[in-house]
């Protein structure tokens, strides 16, 4: 968990903010908003620092579905400028999804909306081909 937080922290340092907007959703058997979509690096970083580990199953699909809802609202709010930017979901997971079929469906819905789905693997998953099915390919 701490490795994932460190990865996100380093990624935030490299993003061009406030032009780039970021939201954080934590997931396990449930999901919760850690930070709404925003361009304030300091606020996102502070939210990340206060995020705590909660044990549970790896259920990805509800978090992906909520991401889709948030991104749809963001697209609507940015009209008519929505054609000038891209949206992405960066999924940081051990890849051991307890809802694989639903996760694949949600990832496909995002991709069908033009959202780029990226995955960063953490942990000791033996079969990373599952992540290959979730991600967008160029």
């Amino acid at each position: 968990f701490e490795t994932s937080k460190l990865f996100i922290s380093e990624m935030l340092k490299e993003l061009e903010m406030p032009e780039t907007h970021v939201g954080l959703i934590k997931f396990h058997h449930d999901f919760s908003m850690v930070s709404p979509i925003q361009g304030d690096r300091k606020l996102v970083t502070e939210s990340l620092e206060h995020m705590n580990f909660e044990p549970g199953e790896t259920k990805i699909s509800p978090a992906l579905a909520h991401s889709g809802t948030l991104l749809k609202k963001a697209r609507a709010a940015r009209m008519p400028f929505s054609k000038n930017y891209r949206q992405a979901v960066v999924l940081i997971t051990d890849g051991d999804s307890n809802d694989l079929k639903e996760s694949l469906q949600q990832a496909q819905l995002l991709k069908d909306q033009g959202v780029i789905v990226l995955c960063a693997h953490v942990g000791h998953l033996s079969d990373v081909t599952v992540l290959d099915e979730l991600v967008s390919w160029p």
Side-chain angles (χ1 to χ4, degrees):
F1 186 78
E2 293 303 318
T3 302
S4 298
K5 285 176 64 173
L6 180 61
F7 173 79
I8 296 168
S9 178
E10 291 301 315
M11 183 180 72
L12 287 171
K13 292 176 186 174
E14 299 299 322
L15 295 175
E16 293 181 21
M17 295 178 87
E19 294 84 3
T20 301
H21 290 170
V22 175
L24 299 174
I25 300 174
K26 177 176 69 170
F27 64 94
H28 43 84
H29 58 275
D30 198 6
F31 73 91
S32 59
M33 282 294 302
V34 175
S35 174
I37 296 175
Q38 59 184 319
D40 189 322
R41 182 189 331 267
K42 183 177 183 228
L43 291 177
V44 176
T45 301
E46 286 174 359
S47 297
L48 175 64
E49 289 170 356
H50 291 99
M51 184 172 70
N52 295 316
F53 174 75
E54 294 179 46
E57 298 180 27
T58 304
K59 291 195 174 183
I60 298 171
S61 64
L64 289 176
H66 191 66
S67 297
T69 300
L70 294 174
L71 293 173
K72 184 176 182 179
K73 288 179 184 177
R75 279 193 302 275
R78 290 186 63 118
M79 290 296 197
F81 306 107
S82 63
K83 293 179 183 171
N84 297 330
Y85 74 100
R86 310 264 327 251
Q87 293 182 319
V89 170
V90 180
L91 177 67
I92 302 171
T93 179
D94 63 3
D96 189 20
S97 177
N98 294 92
D99 62 347
L100 181 58
K101 180 180 177 184
E102 295 85 357
S103 297
L104 292 171
Q105 290 170 340
Q106 287 299 325
Q108 189 58 54
L109 286 172
L110 288 169
K111 291 184 274 189
D112 290 346
Q113 295 171 19
V115 176
I116 300 166
V117 179
L118 306 166
C119 289
H121 172 250
V122 294
H124 303 288
L125 178 67
S126 58
D127 183 12
V128 293
T129 58
V130 169
L131 300 182
D132 288 343
E133 296 179 53
L134 288 169
V135 300
S136 301
W137 289 92

